[in-house]
Amino acid sequence: MSPGNEAILEAQALSKHFGGTAALKEVSFSAAAGEILGLIGPNGAGKTTLLNLLSGVLRPTSGKVLFRGRDLTGLKTHAVARMGIARTLQTPRSFPSMTVLENVAVGALFGHPHGRTDGAIKSLDLVGLGERRASPMSSLNLQERKMVELARALAMEPRVVLIDEAMSGLNPTEIEDSMRLIRRVRSQTGVTIIWVEHVVKAIMEVVERIIVLNFGQVIATGSPAEIARNDAVVEAYLGTKA
Amino acid sequence: MKKYADLVVVAVVLALVPVLAGGSPYYMRLATLALVYMAWTVAFNLIFGHTKQLFLCLGALAGSAAYMTVVFTKQLELSPWITVPIGVATAAGLGALFSYVSVLRGLGIIFLGIVTLAFSLIFHNLVLGLRQFTNGETGLVSRGLGFPLLEQPMSSYYIFLGVLLVALIVYYLLMASRMGMAVRALSDDELTAELSGINVTWYKVLAAAVASAILGLAGSLYAFYNGIVSPSVFSFVSVDIPVLIALLLGGMRTRLGPIIGAAAFAVIEELVRPFGQLNVLVYGVLLIVLFVAFREGLVPMLRKTLKLSLP
């Protein structure tokens, strides 16, 4: 966190056990208002579980989530969303019976604290799908469906967006587009972005700070340059040197 | 008010039915029963069509309301103006409870179906067991206890038409409100709906409570109209199966589907009457065919084939 910036979202010693297995062990971090925070780690490191705890989809076994100083632990998912934490899913899930605009309008209508719908078109334009507003969801490709999800999240005018793998399954050109888009979203809305990503190269070029998870624990935190040099991180991804 | 043109058409067409019946008590009774089933199907459309909650206890819910109403009227000599609301509240409370428990425990559509089917069995046994109140299999005579207008064929018909229109208006208003968008979203994807800020639990429970209240209102008044309330009147075979057939036949999540479906079912019922006890077999086969091959229903089919903009 850069000095002088208040923490908008804070995890305090979050643990999550599924049966006897610990998916997350005492994870603590905080995100500063307006920053883009990357969250990386090998498969099964607990990245999606962490997002599920932050968005209220799962309850932590122990620990707390603080949003602007308020304890969110135990709130229902929709209540967390309405307070200003939006979330996109790894595999985009939309409302298939609705048009693109209707999909986004649901976020504006229910996720916005005052139920405003004028933000829907604005956020569709922001992700570059303004022209497709009347199209049915079935006519969209994977990247476009991911963008609709992001637009729906943004239409809620959240303070924090949790993005779960914006890049997986995309080709290099689409990855470039998405990287530019995430930068544009932050500069135009000032929203805090917590971004889980598998495509490490993409995240390194966009985020200010990275948290690395492995086996449910934070093993490193720092700028992309620091993380690239970190031995523990290299080990987690590639294994120990012989 | 162009948005509600179909409601006016339904009201006018149904209001003219007694003229066609030409005062025949037989056809008046059929038409009145059709109205009851239309109201029940409108309710089931809200629960199953819009919020995907498979309630297999429609007869038991309508029956709980009917028995509460008749037993209280008889035993405590209360006015039906008091006992009908008690019946309606009972049904609404039970419906809301099933819905809430199913959301809380994360029961899928199948498990909710099993739980509510079990309630149907419990209800049936309870009615047989509480003989001192319900008079068991024989049933309770409700004639002369309720509203005098429900003793006359013509006035009864218009009372049930009123009940149906109230149910339709409530349904239209709910669907035109935020709830319409919320239930569309949650029937598409519940997690995405929650993440978009929709209180999925609240809307499902609300839909179940409102629909169960409609089931209960039609059930309580039907108990008086019928002159007798017995387990067979509100059994699974007499309520749930016809309503399932009517909804699937007419078209789920449509405004006119429940009306057209229940009307069509009334005709089918007349056609299979000569088969006697075998009618249930016909219904079973019909239900299977509908689920396997005709899940869309008549209204969506007519929209496609005739390019009609039916609501």
Side-chain angles (χ1 to χ4, degrees):
Chain A
M1 190 182 11
S2 41
N5 262 355
E6 48 153 350
I8 187 158
L9 189 67
E10 204 177 338
Q12 289 183 346
L14 281 180
S15 297
K16 179 70 191 176
H17 298 262
F18 294 109
T21 6
L24 282 180
K25 284 172 271 186
E26 307 257 317
V27 169
S28 299
F29 72 89
S30 69
E35 84 168 325
I36 305 184
L37 178 64
L39 197 58
I40 64 170
N43 277 333
K47 305 182 295 289
T48 297
T49 305
L50 182 54
L51 287 197
N52 280 337
L53 296 183
L54 296 178
S55 55
V57 173
L58 294 176
R59 280 177 192 212
T61 310
S62 62
K64 269 196 259 186
V65 178
L66 298 179
F67 175 61
R68 301 162 86 188
R70 228 190 106 174
D71 189 356
L72 293 187
T73 328
L75 281 187
K76 293 264 184 61
T77 308
H78 66 89
V80 172
R82 256 180 235 171
M83 286 186 72
I85 302 180
R87 154 102 191 258
T88 70
L89 297 166
Q90 195 169 349
T91 328
R93 286 166 66 162
S94 49
F95 306 121
S97 74
M98 299 185 189
T99 64
V100 168
L101 180 60
E102 285 174 326
N103 260 275
V104 179
V106 169
L109 192 58
F110 293 95
H112 191 281
H114 310 298
R116 294 172 42 184
T117 48
D118 50 337
I121 292 179
K122 215 173 65 187
S123 47
L124 258 185
D125 284 337
L126 182 59
V127 303
L129 282 176
E131 305 285 304
R132 304 291 299 274
R133 67 182 68 154
S135 307
M137 284 307 293
S138 54
S139 70
L140 269 53
N141 67 28
L142 178 68
Q143 187 195 19
E144 288 165 336
R145 278 185 284 134
K146 285 184 179 231
M147 290 304 118
V148 170
E149 252 202 59
L150 184 59
R152 183 175 52 234
L154 294 173
M156 294 158 65
E157 292 188 17
R159 304 293 296 261
V160 177
V161 182
L162 311 172
I163 300 179
D164 198 352
E165 306 223 353
M167 307 294 179
S168 64
L170 302 188
N171 67 38
T173 341
E174 291 170 337
I175 289 180
E176 284 290 325
D177 288 347
S178 301
M179 282 162 60
R180 259 193 307 263
L181 175 66
I182 287 176
R183 287 199 199 98
R184 192 163 73 229
V185 164
R186 202 265 306 262
S187 66
Q188 287 194 14
T189 64
V191 70
T192 306
I193 297 174
I194 298 180
W195 176 16
V196 165
E197 192 53 75
H198 236 92
V199 184
V200 176
K201 188 178 163 297
I203 208 166
M204 290 294 205
E205 290 179 32
V206 179
V207 305
E208 276 114 30
R209 217 155 53 89
I210 288 183
I211 292 172
V212 188
L213 281 179
N214 194 21
F215 295 116
Q217 283 174 308
V218 176
I219 57 166
T221 309
S223 69
E226 287 163 0
I227 293 298
R229 287 194 303 268
N230 188 303
D231 287 340
V233 176
V234 175
E235 209 172 277
Y237 271 91
L238 303 175
T240 37
K241 285 175 202 163
Chain B
M1 287 276 89
K2 209 181 156 194
K3 263 165 66 183
Y4 300 105
D6 55 309
L7 182 66
V8 178
V9 172
V10 166
V12 170
V13 169
L14 291 177
L16 291 175
V17 166
V19 180
L20 294 173
S24 144
Y26 180 74
Y27 285 111
M28 279 308 288
R29 181 170 165 83
L30 281 189
T32 308
L33 279 181
L35 290 176
V36 173
Y37 280 90
M38 284 173 188
W40 284 340
T41 312
V42 168
F44 190 51
N45 189 27
L46 191 55
I47 310 181
F48 184 56
H50 288 283
T51 60
K52 290 194 177 164
Q53 303 182 85
L54 182 55
F55 270 40
L56 294 178
C57 59
L58 308 173
L61 285 173
S64 325
Y67 271 100
M68 288 301 272
T69 300
V70 174
V71 170
F72 274 122
T73 315
K74 212 166 188 147
Q75 302 277 340
L76 302 178
E77 291 174 3
L78 290 170
S79 145
W81 289 104
I82 297 167
T83 57
V84 170
I86 292 175
V88 170
T90 307
L94 285 169
L97 180 71
F98 294 137
S99 171
Y100 185 70
V101 168
S102 97
V103 181
L104 198 68
R105 302 303 307 153
L107 301 181
I109 191 162
I110 299 296
F111 285 103
L112 178 58
I114 293 171
V115 167
T116 49
L117 188 60
F119 172 68
S120 286
L121 301 176
I122 293 168
F123 169 74
H124 190 81
N125 271 287
L126 208 56
V127 169
L128 295 183
L130 295 173
R131 191 168 293 276
Q132 65 274 38
F133 299 111
T134 63
N135 204 18
E137 194 84 68
T138 329
L140 280 173
V141 175
S142 52
R143 192 170 303 285
L145 286 174
F147 307 95
L149 284 177
L150 280 172
E151 314 275 335
Q152 312 290 331
M154 196 58 87
S155 53
S156 297
Y157 180 86
Y158 286 102
I159 287 173
F160 284 106
L161 180 57
V163 169
L164 173 64
L165 292 177
V166 167
L168 281 173
I169 289 168
V170 168
Y171 168 73
Y172 281 24
L173 290 178
L174 286 178
M175 288 301 136
S177 72
R178 282 164 68 89
M179 183 178 177
M181 195 70 158
V183 296
R184 261 180 85 192
L186 75 87
S187 74
D188 269 1
D189 193 313
E190 288 194 10
L191 176 60
T192 310
E194 272 283 330
L195 288 172
S196 309
I198 295 174
N199 189 342
V200 170
T201 313
W202 161 250
Y203 284 112
K204 285 177 99 167
V205 173
L206 180 65
V210 170
S212 303
I214 296 171
L215 287 166
L217 178 62
S220 289
L221 297 180
Y222 178 43
F224 285 135
Y225 167 75
N226 198 45
I228 186 161
V229 46
S230 70
S232 67
V233 175
F234 295 103
S235 71
F236 188 75
V237 172
S238 9
V239 180
D240 293 72
I241 289 179
V243 170
L244 256 172
I245 293 176
L247 183 61
L248 283 168
L249 193 60
M252 285 198 271
R253 294 186 292 277
T254 61
R255 285 178 170 189
L256 290 178
I259 309 295
I260 294 173
F265 183 82
V267 174
I268 294 170
E269 199 178 24
E270 274 311 286
L271 294 177
V272 301
R273 197 173 294 281
F275 298 122
Q277 289 289 305
L278 280 178
N279 61 357
V280 180
L281 182 140
V282 177
Y283 299 156
V285 172
L286 187 59
L287 205 51
I288 291 171
V289 170
L290 285 172
F291 264 114
V292 172
F294 196 68
R295 231 176 302 173
E296 273 207 305
L298 282 167
V299 169
M301 192 195 76
L302 290 174
R303 277 183 198 154
K304 262 186 213 159
T305 51
L306 300 177
K307 303 264 183 282
L308 290 175
S309 59
L310 288 173

